[in-house]
Amino acid sequence: MLRYILKRLLMMIPVLVGVVVVVFTINYFTSISPAAVICGSMATDEQIAAKEQELGLDKPYLVQIGTYFFNIITKGTLGDSYIYKTPVLDMIASRLPNTIRIGLCASVLSAMIGIPLGILAAVKQNSSLDYASTFLAILTGAIPSFCLCLLLQLLFAMKLHWFPISGVKTWQSYILPIVSVALMPVAMTMRMTRSAMLEAIRQDYVRTARAKGLPEKTVIWNHTLKNALIPIITVIGMNIGISLTGSIIVETIFNIPGLGFLMNSSISQKDFITTQGCVLVAAFIMTFMTLLTDLVYAVVDPRIKSQYTKGKKAGKKSKLIKGGDAA
Amino acid sequence: MTQVSTRKISVQSEFVPQKKRQSQFQLKAHRFARNKAAVIALCFIVLLVFCAIFADYISPYDYAAQDLANKLQFPSWRHPFGTDNFGRDILSRIMRGGRISLLVSACAVSISAVAAVIIGSIAGFYGGTVDNVIMRVTDIFMSIPGMLFAMTVSAALGTGIMKTAIALGVCSIAPLVRQIRSSILLLKDQEFIEASKAFGVSNAKIIMKHIIPNTLAPLIVQISLRLGDTIMAISGLSFLGLGIQPPTPEWGNMVSAGKEYLTTFWPMVLFPGLSIMLSMLSFNLLGDGLRDALDPRMKR
């Protein structure tokens, strides 16, 4: 297991290197020179050229990307912001806690609502409850997040005055952003849980469990849900990854100093080195979450765990044995 | 399974395969028609496309005509959706904005679909090193969160209709490549492909004649779902000021303009928002309906 984790961590490195190359290349070929933007519209060509030299933007592509990599590996920095002159990593580190707080709460909330709703919809398939929750899931999945944020803000902050309009001063101010971030994952979790449960509920071992006369509660919780967990975990892991990288729109509307907000403001200020840093950190979080999800599979499913520990052949064998037992 | 049964019949009576094929289509159309939600969604999309194409002829007012005396009017018989902060008719602007949204998302999805079909079929069909390299590259692209990636690309390319389309198209290539590759991998080991290989048919011909037609069904479903997602993404980008810029009307930037007046005047946010929601909903329902209709495994 430990060897597998190490192998996966090592496999993250080429992916992250690739991300740096991709993002750096996109920013390198941008149509606007950051130096020109920093100097303002009144600047002369000489001033812009001097600024470019100062920022190292006049050097060839390979030298620039080489320096960027060199700084990451040796100094552990992502460069200094063009505008604020502070290290990009510090700027991200001071903003990330807000994003993580909102992202984690939203993920927990969406799992707490989505999974029970999905189970209910699957157990009572084709009932009015099933239709209602499926319809709601489709509907909430289609609401543009900026409209939702604006409507929540209008109703609960401006009209009812229950929560602050924006900012992160008190704990109440986190509630509206959390709800806004959570809504889309709720729909996804619910739909995925429903379809995974329906898949599992039709299996022979569930029929056997029922034939044995087990109470329906045990059948659903122990036999069906346990076997439906893998796709549910996948979707939850994906949701956590997305929420942790910050919802740019939610953070912009509620004025939350988080990763998404920093990213958006750095783009509008043409502070591309900060943008680059944000994307890199977000990609790191995403890859890490994928790894974590894969590891949780092993905890939940003994079939997958045995594949890690004994190699592939043993995994197949134990799968067969398990299948035999269930039938 | 379907392939086998089709062949059997064509062997039995050489002159009717055409008819059999048509009935396959009819079967799928019947299956689709039974799904009421999908049919309604399809009707709405047809209406949307019609409005987008003929926006200039059927819209009640000129989408850019300002009438400052009648600004921020609530819905009335004269202006069914009200007027905005410059006195422009919101209904006419939504119709015109729909043209932009549909055009950009159609361009973006075509770009990503064409690229993904080519790359995905190469990866899936040839396998081995080529496949490995392509998959590692898609890993890289997939590890960047979609919205952040779209923002970075469109910040680098600049704003505008074509540039936004390219940005969003490029961003959705990687997930589509994976989908196409996996459906080709499922196909590759089936008997009729093996038979063609045994007959000495060239790889190019196998790809053109067998692989692409058989991956078309999941591709169509994906395209329908992507169209909805892309409309949402365009409006998100435009809302943040990165996609389509005012004065060109686009649903996202209309909402963005309306948010200043939210406390007192809701039509500027509500109607464009509803348009985005309804089109996203219809493309999703259409995609689900198509999947149920085209996938033979779902046959009940």
Side-chain angles (χ1 to χ4, degrees), chain B residues 94-133:
Chain B
I94 283 181
M95 283 181 171
R96 181 78 189 189
R99 172 189 287 190
I100 309 281
S101 292
L102 286 177
L103 183 73
V104 174
S105 80
C107 287
V109 173
S110 327
I111 292 170
S112 59
V114 170
V117 165
I118 296 172
I119 302 171
S121 14
I122 292 173
F125 192 75
Y126 289 104
T129 325
V130 187
D131 181 34
N132 242 326
V133 171

mmCIF file of all heavy atoms in Angstrom, chain B residues 94-133:
data_model
loop_
_atom_site.group_PDB
_atom_site.id
_atom_site.type_symbol
_atom_site.label_atom_id
_atom_site.label_comp_id
_atom_site.label_asym_id
_atom_site.label_seq_id
_atom_site.Cartn_x
_atom_site.Cartn_y
_atom_site.Cartn_z
ATOM 1 N N ILE B 94 -32.450 39.606 -25.573
ATOM 2 C CA ILE B 94 -32.292 38.176 -25.252
ATOM 3 C C ILE B 94 -32.277 37.352 -26.536
ATOM 4 O O ILE B 94 -31.489 36.423 -26.686
ATOM 5 C CB ILE B 94 -33.416 37.716 -24.296
ATOM 6 C CG1 ILE B 94 -33.082 38.199 -22.891
ATOM 7 C CG2 ILE B 94 -33.560 36.204 -24.308
ATOM 8 C CD1 ILE B 94 -34.063 37.810 -21.850
ATOM 9 N N MET B 95 -33.134 37.727 -27.483
ATOM 10 C CA MET B 95 -33.153 37.006 -28.764
ATOM 11 C C MET B 95 -31.800 37.129 -29.461
ATOM 12 O O MET B 95 -31.229 36.162 -29.947
ATOM 13 C CB MET B 95 -34.235 37.569 -29.678
ATOM 14 C CG MET B 95 -35.617 37.125 -29.313
ATOM 15 S SD MET B 95 -36.755 37.843 -30.484
ATOM 16 C CE MET B 95 -38.246 36.988 -30.034
ATOM 17 N N ARG B 96 -31.308 38.355 -29.509
ATOM 18 C CA ARG B 96 -30.019 38.605 -30.144
ATOM 19 C C ARG B 96 -28.885 37.904 -29.362
ATOM 20 O O ARG B 96 -27.977 37.325 -29.950
ATOM 21 C CB ARG B 96 -29.791 40.116 -30.198
ATOM 22 C CG ARG B 96 -28.515 40.546 -30.844
ATOM 23 C CD ARG B 96 -28.620 40.466 -32.351
ATOM 24 N NE ARG B 96 -27.297 40.679 -32.905
ATOM 25 C CZ ARG B 96 -27.043 40.849 -34.194
ATOM 26 N NH1 ARG B 96 -28.027 40.812 -35.063
ATOM 27 N NH2 ARG B 96 -25.827 41.022 -34.617
ATOM 28 N N GLY B 97 -28.990 37.968 -28.034
ATOM 29 C CA GLY B 97 -27.980 37.331 -27.188
ATOM 30 C C GLY B 97 -27.969 35.820 -27.371
ATOM 31 O O GLY B 97 -26.917 35.196 -27.322
ATOM 32 N N GLY B 98 -29.154 35.258 -27.618
ATOM 33 C CA GLY B 98 -29.238 33.824 -27.855
ATOM 34 C C GLY B 98 -28.451 33.436 -29.081
ATOM 35 O O GLY B 98 -27.811 32.382 -29.133
ATOM 36 N N ARG B 99 -28.470 34.299 -30.093
ATOM 37 C CA ARG B 99 -27.700 34.030 -31.304
ATOM 38 C C ARG B 99 -26.214 33.915 -30.958
ATOM 39 O O ARG B 99 -25.543 32.965 -31.374
ATOM 40 C CB ARG B 99 -27.897 35.157 -32.312
ATOM 41 C CG ARG B 99 -26.980 35.023 -33.505
ATOM 42 C CD ARG B 99 -27.032 36.248 -34.373
ATOM 43 N NE ARG B 99 -28.274 36.324 -35.125
ATOM 44 C CZ ARG B 99 -28.471 37.202 -36.108
ATOM 45 N NH1 ARG B 99 -27.539 38.065 -36.430
ATOM 46 N NH2 ARG B 99 -29.599 37.217 -36.765
ATOM 47 N N ILE B 100 -25.726 34.866 -30.143
ATOM 48 C CA ILE B 100 -24.300 34.836 -29.772
ATOM 49 C C ILE B 100 -23.995 33.576 -28.965
ATOM 50 O O ILE B 100 -23.036 32.852 -29.255
ATOM 51 C CB ILE B 100 -23.939 36.090 -28.940
ATOM 52 C CG1 ILE B 100 -24.407 37.365 -29.620
ATOM 53 C CG2 ILE B 100 -22.464 36.121 -28.616
ATOM 54 C CD1 ILE B 100 -23.563 37.848 -30.720
ATOM 55 N N SER B 101 -24.824 33.313 -27.948
ATOM 56 C CA SER B 101 -24.567 32.155 -27.088
ATOM 57 C C SER B 101 -24.533 30.870 -27.910
ATOM 58 O O SER B 101 -23.622 30.055 -27.764
ATOM 59 C CB SER B 101 -25.643 32.028 -26.021
ATOM 60 O OG SER B 101 -25.548 33.077 -25.120
ATOM 61 N N LEU B 102 -25.558 30.693 -28.761
ATOM 62 C CA LEU B 102 -25.632 29.450 -29.538
ATOM 63 C C LEU B 102 -24.477 29.358 -30.521
ATOM 64 O O LEU B 102 -23.884 28.297 -30.699
ATOM 65 C CB LEU B 102 -26.960 29.369 -30.285
ATOM 66 C CG LEU B 102 -28.171 29.060 -29.433
ATOM 67 C CD1 LEU B 102 -29.426 29.080 -30.267
ATOM 68 C CD2 LEU B 102 -28.023 27.697 -28.777
ATOM 69 N N LEU B 103 -24.176 30.474 -31.162
ATOM 70 C CA LEU B 103 -23.091 30.477 -32.152
ATOM 71 C C LEU B 103 -21.767 30.113 -31.490
ATOM 72 O O LEU B 103 -21.048 29.218 -31.966
ATOM 73 C CB LEU B 103 -22.988 31.865 -32.788
ATOM 74 C CG LEU B 103 -21.964 32.020 -33.898
ATOM 75 C CD1 LEU B 103 -22.462 31.311 -35.144
ATOM 76 C CD2 LEU B 103 -21.704 33.487 -34.206
ATOM 77 N N VAL B 104 -21.467 30.788 -30.374
ATOM 78 C CA VAL B 104 -20.188 30.528 -29.713
ATOM 79 C C VAL B 104 -20.136 29.090 -29.221
ATOM 80 O O VAL B 104 -19.131 28.399 -29.407
ATOM 81 C CB VAL B 104 -19.955 31.506 -28.541
ATOM 82 C CG1 VAL B 104 -18.706 31.148 -27.784
ATOM 83 C CG2 VAL B 104 -19.862 32.924 -29.056
ATOM 84 N N SER B 105 -21.231 28.610 -28.613
ATOM 85 C CA SER B 105 -21.137 27.258 -28.067
ATOM 86 C C SER B 105 -21.095 26.239 -29.196
ATOM 87 O O SER B 105 -20.393 25.227 -29.083
ATOM 88 C CB SER B 105 -22.251 26.971 -27.068
ATOM 89 O OG SER B 105 -23.430 26.643 -27.705
ATOM 90 N N ALA B 106 -21.795 26.512 -30.326
ATOM 91 C CA ALA B 106 -21.706 25.575 -31.447
ATOM 92 C C ALA B 106 -20.277 25.530 -31.986
ATOM 93 O O ALA B 106 -19.736 24.445 -32.248
ATOM 94 C CB ALA B 106 -22.679 25.982 -32.551
ATOM 95 N N CYS B 107 -19.648 26.705 -32.131
ATOM 96 C CA CYS B 107 -18.255 26.738 -32.616
ATOM 97 C C CYS B 107 -17.341 26.005 -31.650
ATOM 98 O O CYS B 107 -16.529 25.166 -32.065
ATOM 99 C CB CYS B 107 -17.758 28.179 -32.740
ATOM 100 S SG CYS B 107 -18.463 29.058 -34.110
ATOM 101 N N ALA B 108 -17.489 26.305 -30.351
ATOM 102 C CA ALA B 108 -16.594 25.700 -29.355
ATOM 103 C C ALA B 108 -16.739 24.188 -29.366
ATOM 104 O O ALA B 108 -15.745 23.454 -29.384
ATOM 105 C CB ALA B 108 -16.911 26.246 -27.966
ATOM 106 N N VAL B 109 -18.002 23.716 -29.387
ATOM 107 C CA VAL B 109 -18.213 22.271 -29.347
ATOM 108 C C VAL B 109 -17.706 21.613 -30.632
ATOM 109 O O VAL B 109 -17.128 20.523 -30.582
ATOM 110 C CB VAL B 109 -19.696 21.953 -29.082
ATOM 111 C CG1 VAL B 109 -19.966 20.473 -29.209
ATOM 112 C CG2 VAL B 109 -20.088 22.417 -27.701
ATOM 113 N N SER B 110 -17.881 22.291 -31.788
ATOM 114 C CA SER B 110 -17.361 21.692 -33.028
ATOM 115 C C SER B 110 -15.850 21.564 -32.959
ATOM 116 O O SER B 110 -15.291 20.525 -33.334
ATOM 117 C CB SER B 110 -17.698 22.515 -34.263
ATOM 118 O OG SER B 110 -18.906 23.145 -34.136
ATOM 119 N N ILE B 111 -15.186 22.635 -32.475
ATOM 120 C CA ILE B 111 -13.726 22.578 -32.379
ATOM 121 C C ILE B 111 -13.309 21.393 -31.530
ATOM 122 O O ILE B 111 -12.502 20.550 -31.930
ATOM 123 C CB ILE B 111 -13.176 23.888 -31.763
ATOM 124 C CG1 ILE B 111 -13.380 25.051 -32.725
ATOM 125 C CG2 ILE B 111 -11.694 23.744 -31.400
ATOM 126 C CD1 ILE B 111 -13.099 26.402 -32.113
ATOM 127 N N SER B 112 -13.918 21.292 -30.326
ATOM 128 C CA SER B 112 -13.462 20.230 -29.429
ATOM 129 C C SER B 112 -13.865 18.862 -29.956
ATOM 130 O O SER B 112 -13.101 17.906 -29.825
ATOM 131 C CB SER B 112 -13.990 20.447 -28.013
ATOM 132 O OG SER B 112 -15.382 20.468 -28.007
ATOM 133 N N ALA B 113 -15.049 18.760 -30.591
ATOM 134 C CA ALA B 113 -15.482 17.447 -31.074
ATOM 135 C C ALA B 113 -14.568 16.952 -32.187
ATOM 136 O O ALA B 113 -14.129 15.802 -32.176
ATOM 137 C CB ALA B 113 -16.926 17.504 -31.555
ATOM 138 N N VAL B 114 -14.255 17.828 -33.159
ATOM 139 C CA VAL B 114 -13.409 17.403 -34.271
ATOM 140 C C VAL B 114 -12.036 16.982 -33.760
ATOM 141 O O VAL B 114 -11.529 15.894 -34.073
ATOM 142 C CB VAL B 114 -13.282 18.528 -35.319
ATOM 143 C CG1 VAL B 114 -12.214 18.187 -36.346
ATOM 144 C CG2 VAL B 114 -14.611 18.758 -36.007
ATOM 145 N N ALA B 115 -11.452 17.838 -32.910
ATOM 146 C CA ALA B 115 -10.121 17.522 -32.385
ATOM 147 C C ALA B 115 -10.163 16.239 -31.569
ATOM 148 O O ALA B 115 -9.289 15.371 -31.708
ATOM 149 C CB ALA B 115 -9.607 18.674 -31.532
ATOM 150 N N ALA B 116 -11.209 16.106 -30.736
ATOM 151 C CA ALA B 116 -11.268 14.948 -29.852
ATOM 152 C C ALA B 116 -11.498 13.657 -30.622
ATOM 153 O O ALA B 116 -10.931 12.621 -30.283
ATOM 154 C CB ALA B 116 -12.368 15.140 -28.810
ATOM 155 N N VAL B 117 -12.310 13.724 -31.693
ATOM 156 C CA VAL B 117 -12.549 12.506 -32.483
ATOM 157 C C VAL B 117 -11.243 12.037 -33.102
ATOM 158 O O VAL B 117 -10.906 10.846 -33.041
ATOM 159 C CB VAL B 117 -13.614 12.756 -33.575
ATOM 160 C CG1 VAL B 117 -13.602 11.636 -34.598
ATOM 161 C CG2 VAL B 117 -14.984 12.851 -32.950
ATOM 162 N N ILE B 118 -10.487 12.984 -33.672
ATOM 163 C CA ILE B 118 -9.232 12.595 -34.314
ATOM 164 C C ILE B 118 -8.259 12.028 -33.271
ATOM 165 O O ILE B 118 -7.764 10.895 -33.414
ATOM 166 C CB ILE B 118 -8.601 13.804 -35.035
ATOM 167 C CG1 ILE B 118 -9.532 14.251 -36.174
ATOM 168 C CG2 ILE B 118 -7.229 13.441 -35.584
ATOM 169 C CD1 ILE B 118 -9.134 15.538 -36.827
ATOM 170 N N ILE B 119 -8.029 12.788 -32.200
ATOM 171 C CA ILE B 119 -7.042 12.347 -31.204
ATOM 172 C C ILE B 119 -7.516 11.086 -30.495
ATOM 173 O O ILE B 119 -6.753 10.125 -30.324
ATOM 174 C CB ILE B 119 -6.788 13.473 -30.175
ATOM 175 C CG1 ILE B 119 -6.303 14.737 -30.894
ATOM 176 C CG2 ILE B 119 -5.750 13.044 -29.153
ATOM 177 C CD1 ILE B 119 -6.242 15.949 -30.011
ATOM 178 N N GLY B 120 -8.800 11.070 -30.123
ATOM 179 C CA GLY B 120 -9.330 9.919 -29.401
ATOM 180 C C GLY B 120 -9.298 8.651 -30.224
ATOM 181 O O GLY B 120 -8.974 7.581 -29.703
ATOM 182 N N SER B 121 -9.607 8.760 -31.538
ATOM 183 C CA SER B 121 -9.593 7.521 -32.328
ATOM 184 C C SER B 121 -8.167 7.036 -32.529
ATOM 185 O O SER B 121 -7.936 5.828 -32.528
ATOM 186 C CB SER B 121 -10.317 7.649 -33.671
ATOM 187 O OG SER B 121 -10.576 8.948 -34.021
ATOM 188 N N ILE B 122 -7.223 7.963 -32.692
ATOM 189 C CA ILE B 122 -5.829 7.527 -32.818
ATOM 190 C C ILE B 122 -5.405 6.790 -31.548
ATOM 191 O O ILE B 122 -4.878 5.670 -31.602
ATOM 192 C CB ILE B 122 -4.904 8.738 -33.065
ATOM 193 C CG1 ILE B 122 -5.200 9.322 -34.448
ATOM 194 C CG2 ILE B 122 -3.441 8.326 -32.977
ATOM 195 C CD1 ILE B 122 -4.472 10.601 -34.739
ATOM 196 N N ALA B 123 -5.722 7.408 -30.387
ATOM 197 C CA ALA B 123 -5.314 6.794 -29.120
ATOM 198 C C ALA B 123 -5.957 5.432 -28.935
ATOM 199 O O ALA B 123 -5.301 4.450 -28.593
ATOM 200 C CB ALA B 123 -5.669 7.721 -27.955
ATOM 201 N N GLY B 124 -7.265 5.377 -29.177
ATOM 202 C CA GLY B 124 -7.983 4.141 -28.919
ATOM 203 C C GLY B 124 -7.632 3.048 -29.898
ATOM 204 O O GLY B 124 -7.505 1.886 -29.535
ATOM 205 N N PHE B 125 -7.459 3.411 -31.168
ATOM 206 C CA PHE B 125 -7.268 2.383 -32.198
ATOM 207 C C PHE B 125 -5.854 1.842 -32.192
ATOM 208 O O PHE B 125 -5.648 0.632 -32.276
ATOM 209 C CB PHE B 125 -7.610 2.958 -33.566
ATOM 210 C CG PHE B 125 -7.710 1.895 -34.614
ATOM 211 C CD1 PHE B 125 -8.825 1.061 -34.658
ATOM 212 C CD2 PHE B 125 -6.702 1.709 -35.534
ATOM 213 C CE1 PHE B 125 -8.923 0.074 -35.598
ATOM 214 C CE2 PHE B 125 -6.795 0.710 -36.491
ATOM 215 C CZ PHE B 125 -7.903 -0.103 -36.521
ATOM 216 N N TYR B 126 -4.860 2.738 -32.105
ATOM 217 C CA TYR B 126 -3.491 2.252 -32.192
ATOM 218 C C TYR B 126 -2.971 1.728 -30.867
ATOM 219 O O TYR B 126 -2.197 0.782 -30.836
ATOM 220 C CB TYR B 126 -2.571 3.340 -32.756
ATOM 221 C CG TYR B 126 -2.838 3.574 -34.218
ATOM 222 C CD1 TYR B 126 -3.539 4.685 -34.652
ATOM 223 C CD2 TYR B 126 -2.426 2.644 -35.166
ATOM 224 C CE1 TYR B 126 -3.813 4.879 -35.992
ATOM 225 C CE2 TYR B 126 -2.697 2.829 -36.512
ATOM 226 C CZ TYR B 126 -3.385 3.947 -36.920
ATOM 227 O OH TYR B 126 -3.663 4.124 -38.245
ATOM 228 N N GLY B 127 -3.412 2.329 -29.758
ATOM 229 C CA GLY B 127 -2.975 1.847 -28.446
ATOM 230 C C GLY B 127 -1.479 2.006 -28.260
ATOM 231 O O GLY B 127 -0.832 2.786 -28.956
ATOM 232 N N GLY B 128 -0.927 1.248 -27.301
ATOM 233 C CA GLY B 128 0.517 1.245 -27.102
ATOM 234 C C GLY B 128 1.070 2.594 -26.692
ATOM 235 O O GLY B 128 0.454 3.329 -25.914
ATOM 236 N N THR B 129 2.242 2.928 -27.242
ATOM 237 C CA THR B 129 2.936 4.148 -26.846
ATOM 238 C C THR B 129 2.132 5.397 -27.192
ATOM 239 O O THR B 129 2.043 6.327 -26.388
ATOM 240 C CB THR B 129 4.302 4.237 -27.563
ATOM 241 O OG1 THR B 129 4.826 2.926 -27.699
ATOM 242 C CG2 THR B 129 5.261 5.100 -26.785
ATOM 243 N N VAL B 130 1.571 5.402 -28.418
ATOM 244 C CA VAL B 130 0.801 6.576 -28.847
ATOM 245 C C VAL B 130 -0.305 6.859 -27.838
ATOM 246 O O VAL B 130 -0.490 7.992 -27.375
ATOM 247 C CB VAL B 130 0.168 6.310 -30.236
ATOM 248 C CG1 VAL B 130 -0.489 7.567 -30.754
ATOM 249 C CG2 VAL B 130 1.197 5.792 -31.206
ATOM 250 N N ASP B 131 -1.026 5.806 -27.497
ATOM 251 C CA ASP B 131 -2.125 5.919 -26.556
ATOM 252 C C ASP B 131 -1.625 6.448 -25.210
ATOM 253 O O ASP B 131 -2.204 7.366 -24.632
ATOM 254 C CB ASP B 131 -2.755 4.537 -26.380
ATOM 255 C CG ASP B 131 -3.928 4.556 -25.431
ATOM 256 O OD1 ASP B 131 -4.639 5.571 -25.429
ATOM 257 O OD2 ASP B 131 -4.116 3.584 -24.703
ATOM 258 N N ASN B 132 -0.515 5.871 -24.758
ATOM 259 C CA ASN B 132 0.054 6.277 -23.480
ATOM 260 C C ASN B 132 0.394 7.754 -23.438
ATOM 261 O O ASN B 132 0.052 8.470 -22.499
ATOM 262 C CB ASN B 132 1.327 5.470 -23.220
ATOM 263 C CG ASN B 132 1.178 4.641 -21.971
ATOM 264 O OD1 ASN B 132 0.513 5.090 -21.041
ATOM 265 N ND2 ASN B 132 1.754 3.466 -21.957
ATOM 266 N N VAL B 133 1.066 8.211 -24.502
ATOM 267 C CA VAL B 133 1.464 9.624 -24.571
ATOM 268 C C VAL B 133 0.224 10.511 -24.556
ATOM 269 O O VAL B 133 0.125 11.475 -23.773
ATOM 270 C CB VAL B 133 2.304 9.882 -25.835
ATOM 271 C CG1 VAL B 133 2.522 11.378 -26.025
ATOM 272 C CG2 VAL B 133 3.633 9.159 -25.744
#
